[in-house]
Amino acid sequence: MDAGESGSAERTPALNWQDASTLRWVERPDDVHAAFDRGEPLVGVAVISLALNHDNPDAILPQVARAMEADDPEVRRQGVVALAHVARLHRSVDRRCVDLLRDFPRGNEADDDLWSFADHRLLPWWLWRYHAGQRLLWLVRDSWRS
């Protein structure tokens, strides 16, 4: 191996879009973008992998938003999971993903991870309202136990 090679190409298998197990290695936004264009059925798995493997949230979030807008409900759900990972790992979110998240049922993974890890100043009023209500309910229940 040359000094300039990292050796990761030997460990990373080729992406097989028919087998979700190889998609855990997705780390390039362009691969996910092309998979969306081809209509790959496992593109949601790739978006989650991208969120876990790529270090730049600005490159990940457009693909997350694309998943959240998908026609397939499973890909939309996987987009929400990917957004949760971005929030937890990068403490980041963008306006497009937040706007899309509003149409999902409250209490999902992204709601909770955004509230836990993102800067609250970046979060919309409806997420504040949801979490304030949850917190108030927890405090009331806790006071009844005492």
Side-chain angles (χ1 to χ4, degrees):
M1 182 176 352
D2 293 333
E5 294 179 21
S6 68
S8 64
E10 293 176 28
R11 292 190 309 264
T12 305
L15 299 177
N16 176 354
W17 291 94
Q18 305 309 310
D19 178 10
S21 67
T22 66
L23 297 181
R24 69 175 179 238
W25 303 107
V26 172
E27 56 188 21
R28 292 175 12 127
D30 292 344
D31 290 337
V32 177
H33 182 77
F36 271 116
D37 289 347
R38 290 191 308 271
E40 294 291 352
L42 297 175
V43 70
V45 174
V47 172
I48 293 170
S49 296
L50 181 66
L52 292 170
N53 294 326
H54 200 281
D55 61 357
N56 181 355
D58 294 332
I60 301 166
L61 288 168
Q63 302 309 319
V64 171
R66 195 166 177 188
M68 292 173 71
E69 294 174 316
D71 291 333
D72 182 342
E74 181 62 13
V75 174
R76 287 195 308 270
R77 186 192 68 75
Q78 290 164 329
V80 171
V81 170
L83 181 58
H85 288 310
V86 173
R88 185 172 18 86
L89 296 172
H90 303 289
R91 300 181 183 277
S92 184
V93 68
D94 66 3
R95 175 60 45 206
R96 182 176 173 202
C97 287
V98 168
D99 290 345
L100 290 168
L101 186 63
R102 185 173 187 185
D103 294 332
F104 287 82
R106 298 287 57 85
N108 62 61
E109 299 90 340
D111 281 357
D112 296 339
D113 281 1
L114 282 170
W115 188 256
S116 297
F117 298 106
D119 183 348
H120 287 172
R121 293 174 295 179
L122 301 176
L123 302 179
W125 66 269
W126 52 263
L127 196 56
W128 277 80
R129 185 178 64 196
Y130 170 75
H131 281 281
Q134 293 289 61
R135 177 75 175 149
L136 182 60
L137 183 61
W138 180 82
L139 288 172
V140 168
R141 284 183 185 162
D142 192 47
S143 69
W144 286 346
R145 290 183 196 143
S146 301

